[in-house]
Amino acid sequence: MKKKAFVTREMVEEIVKTYPTPFHIYDEKGIRENVKALQEAFSWNPGYKEFFAVKATPNPFIIELLKENGCGCDCSSLTELQLSYASGVSGEDIMFSSNDTPAEEYAYAAKIGATINLDDITHIDFLEETIGYLPKTISCRFNPGGYFSIANSIMDNPGDAKYGFTTEQMYEGFRILKERGVENFGIHAFLASNTVSNDYYPELARQLFTLAVDLREKTGAHITFINLSGGIGIPYRPDQEPNDIRVIGEGVRKAYEEILTPAGMGDVAIYTELGRYMLAPFGHLVTKVLHEKHTHKEYIGVDACAVNLMRPAMYGAYHHITVLGKEDAPLDHVYDVTGSLCENNDKFAIDRELPEIAIGDYLVIHDTGAHGFSMGYNYNGKLRSSELLLKEDGSVQLIRRAETPMDYFATFDCFPIFEKLRQENA
Ligand SMILES: *Cc1c(COP(=O)(O)O)cnc(C)c1O
């Protein structure tokens, strides 16, 4: 399927008059339509809720937009909790799915009433010692180990993942928690990442529903929700077939009606914690071509770099590129598209077939709406970009300003050098 940018060259030429490149821009219309389709796909389950994985796109405007569409937040750190709470999401609308959790983060999560999802059996004592009690509702993260496969094809390797309770620990943990007064239980698992398959959730659901029925039988625990977490992927490559969320929702419903309903557990709520699926396709990194370089290879140097989008450097991830204004031109050139870091892995594309590129062209790097800006960092003293929202009415709203050198220097503000740096930036 041909990937089409949601901005045109004309739109970008207008936007840069106010907000220079590089920037991430998000498509409000696409986000809204997508979240509505998700809600519909799971509307058969009265308790269904999506807790948006804040780490994917930690921006209060995005959190509020999703909240308007019925979503809560999934957090895994103090600042993600604070951002969600300040955005008007609190109490049971926050899921705290952390690991290796510091005490102050549990304390804050408990203070704002978030549902706590324990990553390990030892955290039962740790949580109780930290906050002085155990909440009435608690969730445990499950990791069966081994490989996660569908129809003999391996999708991921939970046995090598640091997260979660083993099967035995789930039974033991539920017994301990029940003894200590916990009344409502949740089960959570995240067993495969970025799955471009309609079978992941239904297969995961089958495993968790079967476990839930047995846990209830053996421990008497009252299970109120099952959290399928994240992991639904998106087609980063144009030749990949996108997931169909209706098929996924129906697959989970089928497993529910086969396993939970007959066991008298037809009141269990289904939760999801999607990040990538909610936002990735609805974000672009827009960057301007600064240089062409003809050496051992053909290079296009742009004004964004890996600090604005780390996935290609970190995972060798593919991100599709559109040269704005040349959407229909032949792909008759081969380029490496690079940023300016002093790191040779700072390449958005390697040996990519693209139309002929000129200095001053604008490139759209696709699918950066999740795990894009948020994975940013400051290596080489590079600054984080702005974030923009393309509104449904076609206007553009700044939802995070770009960093300035003084933001980069801010943590020297308790030292004498800060004044000199300030003068340099006056
Ligand atoms: C990262 C993460 C998610 C979201 O994952 P996606 O692949 O972006 O959907 C959900 N839950 C937890 C606990 C996570 O760590």
Side-chain angles (χ1 to χ4, degrees):
M1 200 174 69
K2 191 169 157 125
K3 277 195 180 269
K4 198 169 172 301
F6 58 77
V7 293
T8 62
R9 180 167 183 119
E10 291 67 38
M11 287 163 77
V12 166
E13 281 170 347
E14 203 48 43
I15 294 168
V16 296
K17 291 179 186 164
T18 317
Y19 308 114
T21 54
F23 53 77
H24 286 267
I25 187 164
Y26 307 106
D27 175 22
E28 178 180 21
K29 185 160 176 283
I31 296 169
R32 282 192 195 275
E33 286 171 3
N34 188 59
V35 66
K36 283 206 185 85
L38 173 73
Q39 303 283 12
E40 267 171 43
F42 285 92
S43 58
W44 54 267
N45 180 254
Y48 173 72
K49 194 168 184 82
E50 153 71 5
F51 296 80
F52 173 59
V54 170
K55 74 166 192 262
T57 323
N59 186 299
F61 292 87
I62 299 293
I63 293 172
E64 282 169 23
L65 202 167
L66 292 172
K67 179 183 180 237
E68 278 172 27
N69 287 275
C71 301
C73 289
D74 161 41
C75 301
S76 55
S77 69
L78 180 67
T79 49
E80 287 177 3
L81 286 167
Q82 290 179 338
L83 199 58
S84 303
Y85 188 67
S87 302
V89 182
S90 66
E92 288 177 353
D93 291 341
I94 298 184
M95 185 65 57
F96 186 50
S97 291
S98 60
N99 70 93
D100 188 20
T101 314
E104 60 272 24
E105 300 196 355
Y106 273 141
Y108 185 80
K111 192 179 91 176
I112 62 173
T115 301
I116 290 174
N117 179 31
L118 296 173
D119 182 69
D120 187 55
I121 195 163
T122 63
H123 286 220
I124 298 172
D125 288 341
F126 184 74
L127 177 64
E128 194 169 29
E129 283 158 24
T130 300
I131 64 174
Y133 62 93
L134 285 173
K136 290 275 167 263
T137 300
I138 214 153
S139 172
C140 294
R141 183 169 183 164
F142 171 54
N143 180 344
Y147 289 96
F148 188 88
S149 318
I150 294 174
N152 292 324
S153 121
I154 291 176
M155 300 196 81
D156 219 321
N157 184 3
D160 197 36
K162 66 175 176 171
Y163 311 106
F165 293 47
T166 65
T167 308
E168 258 174 36
Q169 289 171 343
M170 287 296 285
Y171 289 87
E172 180 68 12
F174 271 43
R175 274 191 202 99
I176 297 169
L177 289 164
K178 194 153 183 296
E179 246 169 54
R180 300 199 198 160
V182 171
E183 291 169 6
N184 306 307
F185 289 78
I187 300 174
H188 170 285
F190 189 162
L191 302 184
S193 194
N194 190 26
T195 57
V196 189
S197 155
N198 292 329
D199 298 329
Y200 169 62
Y201 257 14
E203 173 58 29
L204 174 68
R206 236 163 241 290
Q207 294 188 15
L208 297 186
F209 296 167
T210 306
L211 175 70
V213 171
D214 201 51
L215 273 168
R216 200 233 6 212
E217 244 169 52
K218 302 232 163 80
T219 69
H222 177 219
I223 294 164
T224 55
F225 64 86
I226 292 176
N227 185 343
L228 303 175
S229 191
I232 296 191
I234 61 129
Y236 284 97
R237 291 176 181 273
D239 57 3
Q240 285 176 298
E241 186 68 29
N243 290 324
D244 184 336
I245 200 65
R246 282 165 311 178
V247 174
I248 293 173
E250 274 308 301
V252 175
R253 184 222 281 256
K254 197 156 167 281
Y256 193 101
E257 287 172 355
E258 277 174 32
I259 301 165
L260 289 181
T261 310
M265 293 173 73
D267 58 349
V268 171
I270 299 300
Y271 293 167
T272 57
E273 291 178 339
L274 297 168
R276 194 184 315 272
Y277 187 78
M278 304 304 289
L279 254 296
F282 313 110
H284 291 336
L285 173 58
V286 179
T287 183
K288 189 176 183 175
V289 176
L290 300 181
H291 300 285
E292 305 173 28
K293 176 166 178 165
H294 316 284
T295 55
H296 308 290
K297 294 185 90 172
E298 292 297 300
Y299 293 103
I300 293 297
V302 297
D303 64 1
C305 63
V307 306
N308 307 114
L309 176 69
M310 193 185 199
R311 299 185 73 258
M314 189 170 178
Y315 312 118
Y318 180 95
H319 279 265
H320 197 67
I321 293 178
T322 297
V323 185
L324 292 180
K326 299 182 178 176
E327 285 82 351
D328 299 318
L331 308 180
D332 53 4
H333 284 64
V334 174
Y335 295 112
D336 281 15
V337 178
T338 79
S340 56
L341 292 188
C342 304
E343 270 286 354
N344 196 43
N345 68 4
D346 184 15
K347 294 182 176 178
F348 292 115
I350 297 173
D351 298 329
R352 182 77 58 90
E353 290 178 3
L354 289 165
E356 181 168 22
I357 293 176
I359 290 172
D361 278 348
Y362 292 104
L363 308 188
V364 157
I365 303 178
H366 288 254
D367 302 317
T368 68
H371 312 297
F373 178 96
S374 63
M375 289 179 101
Y377 54 110
N378 280 125
Y379 190 53
N380 262 177
K382 296 287 176 179
L383 304 176
R384 289 180 179 82
S385 77
S386 58
E387 291 181 290
L388 308 176
L389 184 64
L390 175 62
K391 308 275 286 183
E392 280 183 299
D393 66 8
S395 64
V396 170
Q397 183 187 0
L398 180 72
I399 60 171
R400 187 196 299 262
R401 68 165 173 82
E403 278 184 344
T404 65
M406 290 317 288
D407 293 319
Y408 180 70
F409 298 137
T411 43
F412 295 123
D413 63 356
C414 49
F415 302 103
I417 195 174
F418 191 70
E419 185 51 30
K420 282 190 202 158
L421 291 164
R422 211 182 51 76
Q423 281 165 18
E424 287 308 305
N425 283 282

